[in-house]
Amino acid sequence: MRAQALKGHLDGMLLAALEDGPRHGYAVMEALRAGSDGRFDLPTGTIYPALRRLERAGLVCARWSEEGGRRRRLYELTPDGRRMLDAERHSWREFSAAVTALLGPHQRPVTQ
């Protein structure tokens, strides 16, 4: 999938990856990969800065946890993040319907 296609949608995708509960950054990357059948295999250099940006915006909160002797940063949606995810989904439905109407199968007029 071209990086250009993600422009404007990464935040919503990250929020959706956190919808089911807290995850560390690598688990977020895995959720995006698995949820897209491998189409979104994004590098850490894309994911972590975006998660930090969402944290600064108050859409995600983060805390340190320790698992198996490793410290990991867990990210979780805030109430504002959940509201933003709902708004992103609504916006996506409208956008994708419009694009599908334009790029979907061309219907030729029936001639008689």
Side-chain angles (χ1 to χ4, degrees):
M1 186 71 61
R2 292 185 312 212
Q4 191 68 12
L6 289 177
K7 207 169 207 137
H9 303 292
L10 180 60
D11 289 358
M13 292 167 42
L14 291 171
L15 294 173
L18 293 168
E19 183 175 29
D20 291 335
R23 292 186 173 173
H24 55 80
Y26 185 78
V28 169
M29 290 173 17
E30 285 295 311
L32 292 177
R33 188 178 303 121
S36 68
D37 291 327
R39 291 182 194 95
F40 297 128
D41 188 12
L42 304 174
T44 58
T46 298
I47 299 296
Y48 287 104
L51 287 170
R52 286 192 294 276
R53 184 173 27 75
L54 292 172
E55 184 180 8
R56 285 191 305 274
L59 302 175
V60 167
C61 61
R63 68 181 187 280
W64 288 103
S65 73
E66 194 163 322
E67 296 175 26
R70 292 181 60 188
R71 277 180 39 120
R72 293 180 163 183
R73 197 142 166 87
L74 283 177
Y75 298 90
E76 185 173 7
L77 288 180
T78 64
D80 284 345
R82 289 191 182 280
R83 283 188 287 280
M84 180 59 77
L85 177 56
D86 289 342
E88 288 285 332
R89 283 190 168 133
H90 176 76
S91 177
W92 174 254
R93 282 191 296 272
E94 288 183 345
F95 175 77
S96 64
V99 171
T100 298
L102 290 168
L103 297 179
H106 182 67
Q107 300 294 323
R108 296 198 188 320
V110 177
T111 56
Q112 296 175 326

